[in-house]
Amino acid sequence: MLRYLTAGESHGKALLAILEGLPSGLKVAKEKIDAELARRQSGYGRGARMRIEKDRVEIISGLHKGFTIASPLGMLIENKDFSIDHMPEVVHPRPGHADLAGALKYGFDDCRSALERASARETAIRVAVGAVCKIFLNEFAISVKSKALAIGGKVTPEAVHKIIDEAREKKDTLGGVFDIAISGVPAGLGSYVQPDRRLNGRLAQAVMSIPGIKALEFGMGFISANKFGSEVHDAIYYSKVKGYYRKTNNAGGIEGGVSNGQDILICAYMKPIATLGKPLNSVGIKTKKAHPASIQRADICAVEAAGVVAEAMCAFVIADCLLEKFGADSLKDIKQAFRAYLKRISQ
Amino acid sequence: MLRYLTAGESHGKALLAILEGLPSGLKVAKEKIDAELARRQSGYGRGARMRIEKDRVEIISGLHKGFTIASPLGMLIENKDFSIDHMPEVVHPRPGHADLAGALKYGFDDCRSALERASARETAIRVAVGAVCKIFLNEFAISVKSKALAIGGKVTPEAVHKIIDEAREKKDTLGGVFDIAISGVPAGLGSYVQPDRRLNGRLAQAVMSIPGIKALEFGMGFISANKFGSEVHDAIYYSKVKGYYRKTNNAGGIEGGVSNGQDILICAYMKPIATLGKPLNSVGIKTKKAHPASIQRADICAVEAAGVVAEAMCAFVIADCLLEKFGADSLKDIKQAFRAYLKRISQ
Amino acid sequence: MLRYLTAGESHGKALLAILEGLPSGLKVAKEKIDAELARRQSGYGRGARMRIEKDRVEIISGLHKGFTIASPLGMLIENKDFSIDHMPEVVHPRPGHADLAGALKYGFDDCRSALERASARETAIRVAVGAVCKIFLNEFAISVKSKALAIGGKVTPEAVHKIIDEAREKKDTLGGVFDIAISGVPAGLGSYVQPDRRLNGRLAQAVMSIPGIKALEFGMGFISANKFGSEVHDAIYYSKVKGYYRKTNNAGGIEGGVSNGQDILICAYMKPIATLGKPLNSVGIKTKKAHPASIQRADICAVEAAGVVAEAMCAFVIADCLLEKFGADSLKDIKQAFRAYLKRISQ
Amino acid sequence: MLRYLTAGESHGKALLAILEGLPSGLKVAKEKIDAELARRQSGYGRGARMRIEKDRVEIISGLHKGFTIASPLGMLIENKDFSIDHMPEVVHPRPGHADLAGALKYGFDDCRSALERASARETAIRVAVGAVCKIFLNEFAISVKSKALAIGGKVTPEAVHKIIDEAREKKDTLGGVFDIAISGVPAGLGSYVQPDRRLNGRLAQAVMSIPGIKALEFGMGFISANKFGSEVHDAIYYSKVKGYYRKTNNAGGIEGGVSNGQDILICAYMKPIATLGKPLNSVGIKTKKAHPASIQRADICAVEAAGVVAEAMCAFVIADCLLEKFGADSLKDIKQAFRAYLKRISQ
């Protein structure tokens, strides 16, 4: 079983994660994690914070001479902008954020106590966790990739840049659409035997837990609800070379809650960033009087970044399922079990 | 913490569930559970099995004189069609089902060993679990309701009946769209403090774990990805009578992973039933030769039923969150904490 | 991951369990489970209930033609003495039972609502769960055995019978001591990498969760606290035939939270049964007046039975650890991984 | 639900913990945590490492202006002696440690890769976690205290010093006995409704997960196995002033897996430290030849330190149970629920 916890506030000292359950013998290079962190920070439409922070991971624990020793990986990303106790109060909750719901839930009279943790800053450390999971998955030739498909409904680079510039000018924000493709997953991860073990449910939880995601679909997704079964399900074929195969992948790689050996395809829909430069109506949480929402430094659009976070979250889920199926403890042992399984199902 | 496990095969003796973590003092009437079970069995386009089974729950444990005593609720639904060990082998896996992936994963040479558990028959007992959660939520004036919005892309009753009849005639199947509305949830369930505690992630996992669901959205959902932030986020207002309120609910009742006091709105998209009367191409799992997929007794369309299952799954998640927030053990104690909280956040 | 939940009250319809996470391909014979249930019911000093109940398991789900198919095993043991709603109120809580603490916690004014679930009757279904785990472990030549060592401080059969008879005459009760030996466990189950993964901690939780157990020790146990290190730790030897071996087993088979390949040895200490025929002082929970504790039908001594329950609990833990280490899903795959590991560590 | 993970090796950069599930509004002073860390480092018989490390916690996250905001508490303790990648190989596993079992499990040919995490150094960060739990419990007037009762079988200070000096001279080690008393716990924590929810089981797991603990008992413990029930169970009394009370506490504060309102009393037995200055027989893991075990810097005796760790572990369990029973999120809300419950059960 793979587990992790993250910690850290947007303007706290640092972000932290502990990732537990990795086998021994995996080479973990800090550079690979940093590369993922840099990917998360890129994309047109990002805010001033991205110019302040150049995220670099510090691996605190879990390695011996560069290799995992099965002990928990402790990781830390310093916040350059460490100032939490000196930041102004936030008393006009921003619609679309956890500001108000968080303040009510936890009894805050300063929404800062909510937004510091609710901020998407936290996803940086999730990317570090996911980067390690990707390194692990790479040993099994499994890859997880995302791509922004549309921003504010626009698809071509020019149109995307134009609408982001328009949003910036209007002090407005944008969301968009990205997809995730997980390749190399063998048939047999996840299960139908208990509701909480279905792979699509686990992946949906993971992707939906990313700030701003409001919808997602697997494979043909939404559209499949409008079709006949004969137009949707992926007929099964077999050849000596390929084994079982399909000519279509409408299922998005999962049937009955179990990976079927095809690419797992997820498409995620992100709402516009909730912090607007030209703020929406809100209410003072102390005065109860109408007042424009608080303005915080923010991105105009972060769809590409969300895609990188989604890769991380999916990589974690797949790594967890892999360990569940093929055992734990030693990378060599797991690889041996993996190969034996691939051989069995190819016969 | 509320937990449950289910057990049971499609043609096994019975379906079982154990639901653990309910407080004492809740009146549980078998009739209310049976009413939900009957709802799940209804809907135009259901197959022959629904005429064989008239699901009734048997409460095996957990009640004393009709009230919960905090001990686990054991529930059983008998299968009239108990015949698992005498059913024919299934050697031509059906596209869209777990038949092939399940057989590979578990090493079966008879897909029956997979489909018996992967079958949606299992969702009957989930409905029983959810019915009890609904009875619990009802004590807090929280309701969970679903509605079929479209079937095979058709919206009006006449068009829906017509396309289902068409599908039956063509030995084809259909899916559709339903929504779920959860009313009465106070602000403050779920959390942003850790990725796995976000309410939308937990609900997404629950809904996506229902056989056939391929996509889902919260509130304005996927359309919000095409809009400006100013068109999406729900401005915040306040009045003495209503407290904080919104004039829109594009967020679908959740901001930052936390319920915000509005109705939680989810829309789910179901692919067509995977068992076709006019089967798709498949392969013999022993012969490896091309052969039409196996035909099993099945529905043509089960969108309304899936909605009822989704209600159950959501009711479980909300009940779990409620217990997490307001404590456990005694219904009276929990109600007192709930009222104290409502009072606090209304000030 | 192996999981289970149990349900059922002492005088309810039945006891239930769902055991989830077993691989496919395991032959489960009802007779083997019944044999374990019978063992739990034996022993000198048992009460009248044991003459009423002849526990037999009914396997509700999880098997196809006698073999597991990886779907949850549902098991049921009928209570012959089903009468929960017609039993008298219990208003004088028995010292040593959950009667009072349970009534306070859950807000009962009838301790029956507590004792029906708190009763050791519930352990019958744990034995069924454990019996299945034993069948699984047997495939890996791992056995779990218990033996009563002393009852009321007496060791020889004659002295034991005599003191039990004395207790019966005095309307008193007895406890005792039993040990558990788990043989065939390879080095490497459990872990030191996180506090909750240490094998001794997991086994301690399992054994201590059995009603009446008040103390336990591993290997040389409490005496080792009085010795020098040189008298306690088990020197390490190696031979081509045996591999690494020890001449002593003071550690009780676990070092650093990890099994070391020797027998795992646990000794458990059970307090006397809490229901006395000649009751202790108590208080009316409605009247608050002094009154002798309620008398319920009970055993005088159940040490052997507790040993059987402890075997079940330990078998579950070891099976869970085995699946964690060697992967899941198919018995054949797991055996292959197990053998490959044994080969690796023997080199 | 309260959760934590720890990370860190003995000679790594630092020890880390993330503690998740604390409510908002708790004042956490670093000094209180440091005071507990200092307590763990004290005691006669400690080794050279204790002179190198003066453990101080750095709180990385989770506080806003000194108070918890319900977001995860990230804590770090720097290792002065950071040298993991430059330490010598350990190829002669030490009996009593995880050296050999860890190397086999994870496939190491250098036991250092095992002992770095298996080392009791890791317990420092557990003490930090527990210190925060104690601060939380203190708000409810619950305290957790330990006391060393014997070392190497000696009880008086003079005898203890003498035997430790003797052990040092002989290059041998010692263990001992300590008890833990948890005061102020109300009746009603833990439960009998499911095996894994029994409070004694959870505490046993927690205490047994501390390196070196080989036995434990609750209340009268071991001895109760030799007595009649009438000599063991704590008769129940009632007075207007005290409510329900007992004149004895043989149960050690837990009946039927539930706290009964009396002090929870645990006694733990620790084996001697496993690293001997005059090493035991071992085997080269590469050569397979007999060779004395490796010598590492170590304590001669660490019973008092283990007591402090046990306090921490128990504080975590009790805090978790408290949150489960009285709800989460806001310290004020939880206190209100706690007081309402105390009032209810005092009536």
Side-chain angles (χ1 to χ4, degrees):
Chain A
M1 186 182 52
L2 205 58
R3 294 182 281 184
Y4 74 97
L5 289 174
T6 74
E9 287 78 37
S10 185
H11 300 90
K13 270 189 199 176
L15 301 167
L16 273 183
I18 296 177
L19 174 60
E20 208 264 337
L22 284 175
S24 64
L26 183 69
K27 186 171 185 173
V28 174
K30 172 187 151 40
E31 294 68 31
K32 290 195 179 168
I33 305 173
D34 285 343
E36 294 289 313
L37 293 175
R39 286 182 63 220
R40 179 187 159 276
Q41 294 193 282
S42 66
Y44 198 66
R46 306 304 302 280
R49 180 74 184 262
M50 291 303 99
R51 286 189 292 274
I52 297 175
E53 306 289 347
K54 286 288 166 244
D55 292 339
R56 296 283 181 276
V57 77
E58 185 184 357
I59 300 176
I60 304 288
S61 72
L63 300 185
H64 185 204
K65 301 182 178 170
F67 287 83
T68 56
I69 51 174
S71 70
L73 214 64
M75 294 185 286
L76 185 151
I77 299 171
E78 230 186 308
N79 282 331
K80 297 275 177 289
D81 193 3
F82 167 32
S83 54
I84 180 169
D85 288 347
H86 308 286
M87 298 286 284
E89 282 200 337
V90 174
V91 294
H92 303 110
R94 294 163 299 166
H97 270 298
D99 292 9
L100 181 57
L104 293 171
K105 176 181 180 76
Y106 292 116
F108 301 137
D109 56 9
D110 175 1
C111 295
R112 175 153 309 281
S113 293
L115 66 90
E116 279 289 331
R117 178 67 186 160
S119 159
R121 174 83 191 124
E122 165 257 339
T123 59
I125 197 76
R126 295 202 214 180
V127 168
V129 167
V132 178
C133 294
K134 281 181 169 188
I135 294 170
F136 172 65
L137 292 177
N138 189 46
E139 297 282 333
F140 301 86
I142 297 171
S143 69
V144 187
K145 283 176 188 154
S146 70
K147 199 170 64 182
L149 301 181
I151 287 182
K154 306 303 177 190
V155 173
T156 63
E158 307 78 41
V160 163
H161 275 232
K162 204 178 140 200
I163 199 167
I164 291 176
D165 291 342
E166 183 190 336
R168 183 180 291 112
E169 206 164 308
K170 297 203 296 187
K171 301 196 171 189
D172 213 323
T173 59
L174 290 167
V177 187
F178 62 88
D179 66 7
I180 309 145
I182 315 173
S183 303
V185 176
L189 297 196
S191 183
Y192 50 78
V193 296
Q194 201 67 210
D196 61 2
R197 291 184 57 188
R198 288 187 178 248
L199 183 56
N200 43 347
R202 290 167 74 170
L203 288 166
Q205 184 277 325
V207 173
M208 197 58 83
S209 77
I210 300 166
I213 306 303
K214 298 302 280 188
L216 59 80
E217 55 181 340
F218 286 83
M220 190 191 262
F222 296 105
I223 293 168
S224 64
N226 296 344
K227 303 237 175 187
F228 286 106
S230 56
E231 299 169 304
V232 170
H233 302 295
D234 304 302
I236 301 172
Y237 300 91
Y238 183 88
S239 83
K240 283 224 162 154
V241 178
K242 301 193 224 175
Y244 295 103
Y245 70 97
R246 318 289 176 106
K247 297 178 180 171
T248 51
N249 186 8
N250 296 330
I254 299 176
E255 288 171 301
V258 183
S259 66
N260 67 6
Q262 299 218 83
D263 284 3
I264 296 175
L265 304 176
I266 305 171
C267 192
Y269 297 78
M270 190 183 193
K271 70 176 185 182
I273 297 287
T275 300
L276 274 62
K278 190 175 162 188
L280 292 169
N281 290 335
S282 183
V283 170
I285 60 168
K286 292 174 186 172
T287 63
K288 311 293 192 217
K289 297 237 164 98
H291 190 285
S294 163
I295 302 176
Q296 302 293 320
R297 192 174 53 200
D299 300 323
I300 286 159
C301 175
V303 174
E304 287 171 53
V308 176
V309 179
E311 292 175 27
M313 297 300 292
C314 291
F316 172 79
V317 171
I318 299 296
D320 189 20
C321 290
L322 206 81
L323 288 165
E324 197 177 292
K325 178 152 187 51
F326 299 108
D329 297 349
S330 146
L331 183 59
K332 273 189 198 168
D333 292 356
I334 300 168
K335 279 185 165 178
Q336 192 171 346
F338 185 78
R339 280 191 304 262
Y341 175 72
L342 290 190
K343 194 176 157 198
R344 167 164 78 70
I345 67 172
S346 74
Q347 282 163 348
Chain B
M1 186 182 53
L2 206 58
R3 292 183 281 183
Y4 74 95
L5 289 174
T6 72
E9 287 78 37
S10 185
H11 301 88
K13 269 190 200 177
L15 301 167
L16 273 183
I18 296 178
L19 174 61
E20 209 266 337
L22 284 176
S24 65
L26 181 70
K27 187 171 183 171
V28 173
K30 171 187 151 42
E31 293 69 30
K32 290 195 179 168
I33 304 173
D34 286 342
E36 295 289 313
L37 293 175
R39 286 182 64 220
R40 179 187 158 276
Q41 294 193 281
S42 67
Y44 197 68
R46 307 304 301 282
R49 180 74 183 262
M50 290 303 101
R51 285 190 292 273
I52 297 175
E53 306 289 346
K54 286 291 165 238
D55 291 339
R56 298 284 180 274
V57 76
E58 185 184 358
I59 300 177
I60 303 287
S61 73
L63 301 184
H64 185 204
K65 299 182 180 171
F67 287 83
T68 56
I69 52 174
S71 69
L73 214 64
M75 294 186 285
L76 185 151
I77 299 172
E78 230 186 307
N79 282 331
K80 296 275 177 289
D81 192 4
F82 168 33
S83 53
I84 181 170
D85 288 346
H86 308 286
M87 299 285 284
E89 283 199 337
V90 175
V91 292
H92 303 109
R94 293 162 300 165
H97 271 297
D99 292 8
L100 180 57
L104 293 172
K105 177 182 180 74
Y106 293 116
F108 301 137
D109 56 9
D110 175 3
C111 295
R112 175 151 310 280
S113 293
L115 67 90
E116 279 290 329
R117 178 64 186 162
S119 158
R121 173 85 192 125
E122 166 258 338
T123 60
I125 197 77
R126 296 202 212 180
V127 168
V129 167
V132 176
C133 294
K134 281 181 167 188
I135 294 171
F136 172 65
L137 292 176
N138 189 47
E139 297 283 331
F140 301 86
I142 297 171
S143 69
V144 187
K145 283 174 189 157
S146 71
K147 200 170 64 182
L149 301 181
I151 287 182
K154 307 301 177 189
V155 174
T156 63
E158 306 79 40
V160 164
H161 275 232
K162 204 178 139 198
I163 199 167
I164 291 177
D165 291 343
E166 184 190 335
R168 183 180 291 115
E169 207 163 308
K170 297 203 297 186
K171 301 197 170 187
D172 213 323
T173 60
L174 289 167
V177 186
F178 62 89
D179 66 6
I180 310 146
I182 315 175
S183 303
V185 176
L189 298 196
S191 182
Y192 49 77
V193 297
Q194 200 68 211
D196 61 1
R197 291 183 56 187
R198 289 186 177 249
L199 183 55
N200 42 350
R202 289 166 73 170
L203 288 166
Q205 184 276 324
V207 173
M208 197 57 84
S209 77
I210 300 166
I213 305 303
K214 297 303 280 187
L216 59 79
E217 55 180 342
F218 286 84
M220 190 189 260
F222 63 97
I223 293 168
S224 63
N226 296 345
K227 303 236 175 186
F228 285 107
S230 57
E231 299 170 303
V232 169
H233 302 296
D234 305 301
I236 301 172
Y237 300 91
Y238 184 87
S239 85
K240 283 226 164 150
V241 178
K242 300 193 225 175
Y244 295 104
Y245 70 96
R246 319 290 176 102
K247 296 178 181 172
T248 50
N249 186 9
N250 295 331
I254 299 176
E255 288 171 303
V258 184
S259 66
N260 67 7
Q262 299 218 88
D263 285 2
I264 295 174
L265 303 176
I266 304 170
C267 193
Y269 297 76
M270 189 182 192
K271 71 176 185 182
I273 297 288
T275 301
L276 273 64
K278 189 176 162 187
L280 292 170
N281 289 336
S282 184
V283 170
I285 60 168
K286 292 175 187 173
T287 63
K288 310 296 191 214
K289 298 236 164 96
H291 189 286
S294 162
I295 301 175
Q296 301 294 320
R297 191 176 53 201
D299 299 324
I300 287 160
C301 174
V303 174
E304 288 170 53
V308 175
V309 178
E311 292 175 28
M313 297 300 293
C314 292
F316 172 80
V317 171
I318 299 297
D320 189 21
C321 290
L322 206 84
L323 289 165
E324 195 177 292
K325 177 152 189 52
F326 298 109
D329 295 350
S330 145
L331 183 60
K332 273 189 197 168
D333 292 355
I334 300 167
K335 279 184 164 179
Q336 194 171 344
F338 184 79
R339 280 190 305 261
Y341 175 73
L342 291 189
K343 196 178 156 194
R344 168 163 81 68
I345 67 171
S346 74
Q347 282 164 351
Chain C
M1 187 183 51
L2 205 58
R3 294 183 281 184
Y4 74 96
L5 289 174
T6 73
E9 286 77 37
S10 184
H11 300 91
K13 270 189 199 176
L15 301 167
L16 273 183
I18 296 178
L19 174 61
E20 209 265 335
L22 284 176
S24 63
L26 183 69
K27 187 171 184 172
V28 174
K30 172 186 151 43
E31 293 68 33
K32 290 195 179 168
I33 306 173
D34 286 342
E36 293 290 312
L37 294 175
R39 286 182 63 221
R40 179 187 158 276
Q41 294 193 281
S42 66
Y44 198 65
R46 307 304 302 281
R49 179 75 183 262
M50 290 303 99
R51 285 190 293 273
I52 296 175
E53 306 289 347
K54 286 289 168 239
D55 292 338
R56 296 285 181 274
V57 76
E58 184 185 358
I59 300 177
I60 303 288
S61 72
L63 300 184
H64 185 205
K65 300 182 179 171
F67 287 84
T68 56
I69 50 174
S71 69
L73 215 64
M75 294 185 286
L76 186 151
I77 299 172
E78 228 185 309
N79 282 332
K80 296 275 176 288
D81 192 3
F82 167 32
S83 53
I84 181 169
D85 288 347
H86 308 286
M87 299 285 284
E89 282 199 337
V90 175
V91 292
H92 302 109
R94 293 162 299 165
H97 271 297
D99 292 9
L100 180 57
L104 293 172
K105 177 182 179 75
Y106 293 115
F108 301 137
D109 56 8
D110 176 2
C111 295
R112 174 152 313 278
S113 294
L115 67 89
E116 279 289 330
R117 178 66 185 161
S119 158
R121 173 84 191 123
E122 166 257 338
T123 60
I125 196 77
R126 296 203 214 179
V127 168
V129 167
V132 176
C133 295
K134 281 180 169 189
I135 294 170
F136 171 66
L137 292 176
N138 189 47
E139 297 283 332
F140 302 86
I142 298 171
S143 69
V144 187
K145 283 176 188 156
S146 71
K147 197 170 65 182
L149 301 180
I151 288 182
K154 306 302 177 190
V155 173
T156 62
E158 306 78 41
V160 164
H161 275 232
K162 204 178 140 199
I163 199 168
I164 291 176
D165 291 343
E166 183 190 336
R168 181 180 291 115
E169 206 163 308
K170 297 203 295 184
K171 300 195 171 189
D172 214 323
T173 60
L174 289 167
V177 186
F178 62 88
D179 66 6
I180 309 146
I182 315 175
S183 303
V185 177
L189 298 197
S191 183
Y192 49 78
V193 296
Q194 201 67 211
D196 61 2
R197 292 183 55 188
R198 286 186 180 251
L199 183 56
N200 42 347
R202 290 167 73 170
L203 288 167
Q205 183 277 326
V207 173
M208 197 57 84
S209 77
I210 300 167
I213 305 303
K214 298 302 280 187
L216 58 81
E217 56 181 340
F218 286 84
M220 190 191 260
F222 63 98
I223 293 168
S224 64
N226 295 345
K227 304 237 175 186
F228 286 107
S230 57
E231 300 169 304
V232 170
H233 302 295
D234 304 303
I236 301 172
Y237 300 92
Y238 184 88
S239 83
K240 283 225 162 154
V241 177
K242 298 193 225 174
Y244 295 104
Y245 69 97
R246 319 290 177 103
K247 297 178 180 173
T248 51
N249 187 7
N250 295 331
I254 299 177
E255 287 171 302
V258 183
S259 65
N260 67 7
Q262 299 218 88
D263 284 2
I264 296 174
L265 304 175
I266 305 171
C267 192
Y269 297 76
M270 189 182 192
K271 70 176 186 184
I273 297 288
T275 300
L276 273 63
K278 191 176 163 187
L280 292 169
N281 289 335
S282 184
V283 171
I285 59 168
K286 293 174 186 171
T287 63
K288 311 294 193 214
K289 299 235 165 97
H291 189 285
S294 163
I295 302 175
Q296 302 294 322
R297 192 176 52 199
D299 300 324
I300 287 161
C301 174
V303 174
E304 288 170 52
V308 175
V309 179
E311 291 174 28
M313 296 300 293
C314 291
F316 172 80
V317 171
I318 299 297
D320 190 20
C321 290
L322 206 82
L323 289 165
E324 197 178 291
K325 179 153 187 50
F326 298 109
D329 296 349
S330 145
L331 183 59
K332 273 190 198 166
D333 292 355
I334 300 168
K335 279 185 165 180
Q336 192 171 348
F338 185 79
R339 281 191 303 261
Y341 174 72
L342 290 190
K343 195 177 158 197
R344 167 163 80 68
I345 67 173
S346 74
Q347 283 164 347
Chain D
M1 185 183 54
L2 206 57
R3 294 182 282 183
Y4 74 96
L5 290 174
T6 73
E9 286 77 38
S10 186
H11 301 89
K13 271 190 199 177
L15 300 167
L16 274 183
I18 297 178
L19 174 60
E20 208 265 335
L22 284 175
S24 64
L26 183 70
K27 187 172 183 170
V28 174
K30 170 186 153 44
E31 293 69 31
K32 290 196 179 167
I33 305 173
D34 285 342
E36 294 289 313
L37 293 175
R39 286 181 64 221
R40 179 186 158 278
Q41 294 193 282
S42 66
Y44 196 69
R46 306 305 301 281
R49 180 75 183 261
M50 290 303 99
R51 286 191 291 273
I52 297 175
E53 307 289 346
K54 284 290 166 240
D55 292 338
R56 297 286 182 273
V57 77
E58 185 185 357
I59 300 177
I60 304 287
S61 73
L63 300 183
H64 186 206
K65 300 181 179 172
F67 286 83
T68 57
I69 51 174
S71 69
L73 215 64
M75 294 186 286
L76 186 150
I77 299 172
E78 228 185 308
N79 282 331
K80 297 275 177 289
D81 192 4
F82 167 33
S83 53
I84 181 169
D85 287 348
H86 308 286
M87 299 285 284
E89 282 200 337
V90 175
V91 293
H92 303 110
R94 294 162 300 166
H97 272 297
D99 293 9
L100 180 57
L104 293 172
K105 177 182 179 74
Y106 293 116
F108 301 137
D109 56 9
D110 175 3
C111 295
R112 175 150 312 277
S113 293
L115 66 89
E116 279 290 330
R117 178 66 185 160
S119 159
R121 173 83 192 126
E122 165 258 338
T123 60
I125 197 75
R126 295 202 215 181
V127 168
V129 167
V132 177
C133 294
K134 280 181 169 189
I135 294 171
F136 172 66
L137 292 176
N138 189 46
E139 298 282 332
F140 301 86
I142 298 170
S143 69
V144 187
K145 282 173 190 158
S146 71
K147 202 170 62 182
L149 302 181
I151 287 181
K154 306 301 177 190
V155 172
T156 64
E158 307 78 41
V160 163
H161 275 232
K162 205 177 139 199
I163 199 168
I164 291 177
D165 291 342
E166 183 190 336
R168 182 181 291 114
E169 207 163 306
K170 298 202 295 186
K171 303 198 169 186
D172 213 323
T173 60
L174 290 167
V177 187
F178 62 89
D179 67 5
I180 310 145
I182 315 174
S183 303
V185 176
L189 298 196
S191 182
Y192 50 78
V193 296
Q194 201 67 211
D196 61 2
R197 293 183 56 188
R198 290 186 176 250
L199 183 55
N200 42 349
R202 290 167 73 170
L203 288 166
Q205 183 277 324
V207 173
M208 197 57 83
S209 76
I210 300 166
I213 306 303
K214 298 302 280 187
L216 58 81
E217 56 180 339
F218 287 84
M220 190 189 261
F222 295 106
I223 294 168
S224 62
N226 296 344
K227 304 237 175 188
F228 286 107
S230 56
E231 300 170 302
V232 170
H233 301 295
D234 305 302
I236 301 172
Y237 300 92
Y238 184 88
S239 85
K240 283 226 162 153
V241 177
K242 299 194 225 176
Y244 295 104
Y245 70 97
R246 319 290 176 103
K247 297 178 181 173
T248 50
N249 186 8
N250 296 330
I254 299 176
E255 288 171 303
V258 184
S259 66
N260 67 6
Q262 299 218 86
D263 285 2
I264 295 173
L265 304 175
I266 304 170
C267 193
Y269 296 78
M270 189 182 192
K271 70 176 186 183
I273 297 287
T275 300
L276 273 64
K278 189 175 162 188
L280 292 169
N281 290 335
S282 184
V283 171
I285 59 167
K286 292 175 186 171
T287 63
K288 311 294 192 215
K289 299 233 164 101
H291 189 285
S294 163
I295 302 175
Q296 302 294 321
R297 192 176 51 199
D299 300 323
I300 286 159
C301 174
V303 174
E304 288 170 53
V308 176
V309 179
E311 291 175 27
M313 296 302 292
C314 291
F316 172 80
V317 171
I318 299 296
D320 189 21
C321 290
L322 207 82
L323 289 165
E324 196 177 291
K325 177 153 189 51
F326 298 110
D329 297 349
S330 147
L331 183 60
K332 273 190 196 167
D333 292 355
I334 300 168
K335 279 184 165 179
Q336 192 170 345
F338 184 78
R339 282 192 303 263
Y341 174 72
L342 290 189
K343 197 177 155 198
R344 166 162 81 69
I345 67 172
S346 74
Q347 283 163 348

